[in-house]
Amino acid sequence: MLVTLDPRDERPLYLQIVDQVRRALLDGTLRAEDPLPSVRELAGELVVNPRTVSQAYRELEGEGVIYVRRGQGTFVAPTIHPDRRERRALVRGVAERALVEARRNGLGVEELVTMIREVAAEDGGEGAPPAAAARPSGEGSAA
């Protein structure tokens, strides 16, 4: 499982781990009954205190996302099926972090949205709206 921590992210490290596990479930990297690294393994990979990973795992277990089999390890819950609500929450979190970072750097919302569209178009446009739909409302219309 690929978990990366962002030292610039103001959220606690354990929440970053929780979000990374949720993201892996949404994008299909992790599926029901997949094993997770042990607390010590993940802590070693991330170079964080094992208590940080343990806290993240406790949170995920409390939400029913993962479970522990004594003596065997930690696994993704068998009933986990990401839904639209979870995906929306993930997208919202990404948007909120982008907006905070933009404001921290003196950028406005429209400037950020425009640049995201430009970058998406350069990246091959995955998920990018058609050019006409990408214009802010009123722009390019014959008013």
Side-chain angles (χ1 to χ4, degrees), residues 119-132:
V119 170
E122 290 168 7
D123 264 1
E126 182 181 327

Side-chain angles (χ1 to χ4, degrees), residues 98-112:
L99 189 55
V100 165
E101 188 68 20
R103 286 181 176 151
R104 184 179 301 138
N105 288 288
L107 305 173
V109 173
E110 287 305 316
E111 193 173 10
L112 175 63

Side-chain angles (χ1 to χ4, degrees), residues 33-39 57 61 66-69 72-76:
E33 296 294 346
D34 280 351
L36 296 178
S38 73
V39 168
Y57 279 13
E61 188 175 14
I66 64 174
Y67 70 97
V68 176
R69 268 192 225 145
Q72 294 181 14
T74 304
F75 299 85
V76 176

Side-chain angles (χ1 to χ4, degrees), residues 81-130:
H81 300 288
D83 62 14
R84 277 192 191 153
R85 209 170 15 126
E86 290 169 341
R87 183 158 186 86
R88 181 171 167 74
L90 172 68
V91 172
R92 183 179 179 87
V94 169
E96 287 171 349
R97 288 191 298 279
L99 189 55
V100 165
E101 188 68 20
R103 286 181 176 151
R104 184 179 301 138
N105 288 288
L107 305 173
V109 173
E110 287 305 316
E111 193 173 10
L112 175 63
V113 170
T114 298
M115 188 53 61
I116 288 171
R117 287 187 174 127
E118 285 179 25
V119 170
E122 290 168 7
D123 264 1
E126 182 181 327

